[in-house]
Amino acid sequence: MLNKYARAFFTRVLTPFAALLLRLGVSPDAVTLVGTAGVMAGALVFFPMGEFFWGTIVITIFVFSDLVDGNMARQAGISSRWGAFLDSTLDRVADGAIFAGFALWYAGSGDDNILCAVAIFCLASGQVVSYTKARGESIGLPVAVNGLVERAERLVISLVAAGLAGLHTFGVPGIDILLPIALWIVAVGSLVTLIQRVVTVRRESAEADAAEPAAVDPSAAGSAGQVGQVGQGSEGDR
């Protein structure tokens, strides 16, 4: 949900900045690479030290590159399969770095093995949630479900909580509890989303497999009607 509405809003806001970068001769791929490097630096340098506020500030600055690079490509008319592949791949790297930073904190100075495990689960489940949709689409299925917690929700919940928790170092009492709560929410939400997508792929694949024999059998008089009914049911489920 956040991905649908927030992306459209920030895309409009960042369009002038994307146009400026194009005039300066900056390529979309360069923005993608710099943005990923910035997110990784913010997560893997600041978070393991417990500097959640400043780490979140750095990450937030660079995470908008995910919107700027695509905007630049569209404005320049140079959208490509390579650009989409690079952007998607480095998104996974950046997401992994954020939760790895949390895990390193709890494995070290944070001294909480349970929350370290939860952070690792968030990292792994986030990757698998993305994979299920990509894999389903690669075998020709629409995977017509968004799920409870997508990438945008994972980032917003985690980074907002981390930034607020970082105010603890400025003397705000009790606020550091927000990060553990956020990690549990992301972990449970990611698990629910994974189940939603797996169930959707199973249903869609069963519908596609059932429709294929009827579609290739011209001798069955009633096959065309059955195929039509399957198609209508599938469209309604989406």
Side-chain angles (χ1 to χ4, degrees):
M1 184 179 295
L2 281 176
N3 188 56
K4 178 180 179 181
Y5 296 106
R7 177 175 288 270
F9 171 76
F10 284 110
T11 296
R12 290 194 298 271
V13 171
L14 295 171
T15 293
F17 180 63
L20 173 62
L21 291 177
L22 287 172
R23 289 196 296 271
L24 294 176
V26 180
S27 72
D29 286 354
V31 172
T32 302
L33 291 168
V34 171
T36 302
V39 171
M40 292 179 66
L44 297 178
V45 173
F46 290 94
F47 284 176
M49 297 189 299
E51 294 288 347
F52 295 116
F53 178 79
W54 294 113
T56 300
I57 294 298
V58 172
I59 291 171
T60 301
I61 292 172
F62 284 100
V63 81
F64 283 107
S65 66
D66 186 45
L67 300 177
V68 174
D69 54 5
N71 195 318
M72 292 171 65
R74 287 189 294 272
Q75 287 191 48
I78 55 174
S79 297
S80 65
R81 290 182 177 87
W82 161 250
F85 169 81
L86 181 66
D87 185 59
S88 180
T89 300
L90 293 185
D91 280 350
R92 306 288 84 74
V93 173
D95 294 357
I98 291 171
F99 290 103
F102 294 142
L104 288 171
W105 162 251
Y106 286 115
S109 301
D111 193 23
D112 193 320
N113 289 336
I114 292 179
L115 287 176
C116 176
V118 173
I120 292 173
F121 179 82
C122 290
L123 190 163
S125 60
Q127 307 297 315
V128 178
V129 164
S130 297
Y131 175 79
T132 53
K133 188 173 183 66
R135 181 56 178 154
E137 291 174 344
S138 74
I139 58 176
L141 301 175
V143 195
V145 62
N146 291 323
L148 182 64
V149 176
E150 296 184 280
R151 182 175 186 254
E153 285 83 2
R154 290 196 301 271
L155 290 179
V156 170
I157 293 170
S158 301
L159 293 178
V160 169
L164 292 175
L167 295 176
H168 179 74
T169 60
F170 295 94
V172 180
I175 200 166
D176 52 325
I177 192 64
L178 290 178
L179 182 55
I181 293 173
L183 289 176
W184 279 106
I185 290 173
V186 171
V188 173
S190 296
L191 178 59
V192 171
T193 303
L194 177 60
I195 293 172
Q196 287 176 304
R197 290 190 174 181
V198 169
V199 169
T200 298
V201 169
R202 187 179 188 280
R203 173 178 56 79
E204 291 178 348
S205 62
E207 291 174 352
D209 291 343
E212 279 182 358
V216 298
D217 184 7
S219 62
S223 294
Q226 294 172 1
V227 173
Q229 292 171 5
V230 171
Q232 290 171 7
S234 175
E235 194 67 32
D237 291 336
R238 296 176 194 171

